[in-house]
Amino acid sequence: MKTNSLGLDLKKTEVLAAELNILLANFQVYYQNLRGLHWNIRGKRFFDLHVKFEELYNDSQLKIDMIAERILTLGGRPLHTFEDYIKNNKLFVGKDISNDEEAVNLIVNSLTQLLKIERVILKQSDEALDEGTNSMMSDFIKEQEKTIWMMKAWLEEEI
């Protein structure tokens, strides 16, 4: 087995970098969806949701940078064009959403898709003994599960 300077299997880190790039592309779409929601939300819940959406897109921006830096740490190259993001996107692209429930549902659905991608990476990073990626995915998953729970509570739906 050939390893990199981190002591990780080169072939496994190439696979992880590719999966992280898929996550990166989807996070970029999620981020842009959140920006649109923040800008376009209307109604009696405007003030609360406008602030919440800003909180979520700021958090996403930090996560995007963390994902890109992890790809670089593993020896990969982060995707960085809109063409690549759309090609690798698995999320619904929200356009002109101003209704509060539709906006929150878009967030729940997006986070659910991101969790699926992250759980694949979590399993692969565990098998590769890549604690850095594994830890990052665990943290993302824990935070996103909580956000889904809160959004579902806001929607008055069961998890």
Side-chain angles (χ1 to χ4, degrees):
M1 167 180 74
K2 202 171 184 184
T3 61
N4 60 19
S5 56
L6 303 175
L8 300 173
D9 182 301
L10 275 175
K11 290 182 181 182
K12 290 181 180 179
T13 57
E14 286 175 14
V15 171
L16 279 167
E19 291 293 331
L20 284 165
N21 261 320
I22 292 169
L23 181 62
L24 176 64
N26 282 270
F27 250 102
Q28 289 283 20
V29 172
Y30 176 58
Y31 169 81
Q32 198 58 44
N33 277 342
L34 290 166
R35 294 299 302 229
L37 297 175
H38 172 76
W39 294 327
N40 293 307
I41 194 68
R42 301 278 183 267
K44 293 178 182 173
R45 296 175 177 148
F46 169 83
F47 291 106
D48 293 331
L49 291 176
H50 185 74
V51 171
K52 185 62 174 177
F53 298 157
E54 183 175 6
E55 174 191 318
L56 290 171
Y57 75 65
N58 284 333
D59 178 68
S60 294
Q61 193 173 32
L62 294 173
K63 284 181 171 62
I64 286 165
D65 195 53
M66 291 170 66
I67 296 164
E69 289 176 353
R70 189 64 194 167
I71 292 166
L72 289 162
T73 299
L74 295 175
R77 174 171 275 159
L79 298 176
H80 55 276
T81 67
F82 290 110
E83 177 185 12
D84 287 333
Y85 300 154
I86 295 302
K87 185 170 75 174
N88 289 284
N89 179 46
K90 298 176 182 184
L91 306 182
F92 177 79
V93 175
K95 183 175 180 180
D96 299 328
I97 296 174
S98 59
N99 174 273
D100 55 0
E101 288 191 20
E102 189 178 353
V104 172
N105 272 310
L106 176 62
I107 292 169
V108 169
N109 292 333
S110 296
L111 289 173
T112 299
Q113 285 302 119
L114 291 171
L115 283 172
K116 289 177 184 177
I117 299 166
E118 291 161 352
R119 286 192 171 105
V120 168
I121 296 168
L122 182 70
K123 183 175 190 244
Q124 291 173 338
S125 61
D126 185 51
E127 292 169 358
L129 304 177
D130 176 2
E131 184 57 33
T133 302
N134 195 277
S135 175
M136 186 170 71
M137 289 304 100
S138 292
D139 290 346
F140 285 13
I141 289 167
K142 180 177 68 175
E143 288 176 30
Q144 289 161 202
E145 287 174 341
K146 184 175 181 179
T147 302
I148 289 172
W149 160 65
M150 290 178 164
M151 294 290 174
K152 295 286 252 178
W154 186 91
L155 289 165
E156 298 181 358
E157 295 177 2
E158 293 298 318
I159 195 75

Short mmCIF file of all heavy atoms in Angstrom, two decimals, residues 114 125 130:
data_model
loop_
_atom_site.label_atom_id
_atom_site.label_comp_id
_atom_site.label_asym_id
_atom_site.label_seq_id
_atom_site.Cartn_x
_atom_site.Cartn_y
_atom_site.Cartn_z
N LEU A 114 -27.64 16.33 1.74
CA LEU A 114 -26.25 16.51 2.19
C LEU A 114 -25.86 15.42 3.18
O LEU A 114 -24.73 14.90 3.12
CB LEU A 114 -26.05 17.90 2.80
CG LEU A 114 -26.12 19.08 1.83
CD1 LEU A 114 -26.13 20.40 2.60
CD2 LEU A 114 -24.98 19.03 0.83
N SER A 125 -14.15 7.38 4.97
CA SER A 125 -13.04 7.92 5.76
C SER A 125 -12.70 7.02 6.94
O SER A 125 -11.54 6.90 7.33
CB SER A 125 -13.35 9.35 6.23
OG SER A 125 -14.49 9.39 7.07
N ASP A 130 -8.91 7.77 8.04
CA ASP A 130 -8.75 9.21 7.86
C ASP A 130 -9.57 9.94 8.92
O ASP A 130 -10.71 10.32 8.70
CB ASP A 130 -9.19 9.60 6.44
CG ASP A 130 -9.13 11.09 6.20
OD1 ASP A 130 -8.72 11.85 7.10
OD2 ASP A 130 -9.52 11.50 5.09
#
